[in-house]
Amino acid sequence: MAFARSDFWQRDDDESALLRSFWRKLARVVAQVPFAEDLLAAYYCALDRDTPLYVKSTLIAAIAYFVMPADAIPDMLPVIGFSDDAAVVATALKLVTDHMRPAHRAAAKVRLAELNAGD
């Protein structure tokens, strides 16, 4: 996972509450979220130092919506619970697609495999 070891996106030890919440929720619901890879790619793109501020803002807003316990459609509802989250993430990615690099997608695939393996 060369991207994850790169200096340009490394988190400080003072990881924000949003990012801690993101990892907790993603680990808990990864099997239920069909857009997990896109969400992780958005995460890595948002933390990339080379990503412009407006792109980071868009992606962080989408990640925050995913993390929020109260949203348009409650996540606990079977089948449709994550549909609003998927729509927000898809819209954000569509808006910033030119800034999503192959390294972001590769890192997302690796991390998703780790999460699915029970890391």
Side-chain angles (χ1 to χ4, degrees):
M1 188 156 94
F3 174 77
R5 290 185 194 87
S6 298
D7 290 335
F8 66 86
W9 78 274
Q10 291 294 321
R11 300 180 305 242
D12 294 334
D13 288 335
D14 295 331
E15 191 177 43
S16 74
L18 171 67
L19 297 180
R20 283 192 308 272
S21 297
F22 169 76
W23 284 113
R24 273 194 303 266
K25 183 169 183 178
L26 186 62
R28 190 174 65 246
V29 300
V30 71
Q32 303 168 24
V33 181
F35 58 95
E37 188 175 318
D38 289 333
L39 191 60
L40 280 166
Y43 170 84
Y44 287 118
C45 185
L47 294 181
D48 187 337
R49 289 185 189 153
D50 294 333
T51 300
L53 184 58
Y54 75 94
V55 173
K56 288 181 181 196
S57 300
T58 301
L59 295 174
I60 292 295
I63 290 168
Y65 189 82
F66 171 75
V67 170
M68 285 184 352
D71 53 17
I73 301 173
D75 294 339
M76 66 187 121
L77 292 175
V79 182
I80 64 167
F82 289 105
S83 60
D84 60 326
D85 300 272
V88 168
V89 170
T91 301
L93 289 176
K94 181 72 171 167
L95 291 172
V96 300
T97 192
D98 292 341
H99 299 282
M100 190 70 62
R101 297 187 352 213
H104 302 143
R105 295 241 178 240
K109 284 182 185 201
V110 169
R111 185 64 179 135
L112 186 59
E114 292 170 355
L115 286 170
N116 284 327
D119 182 26

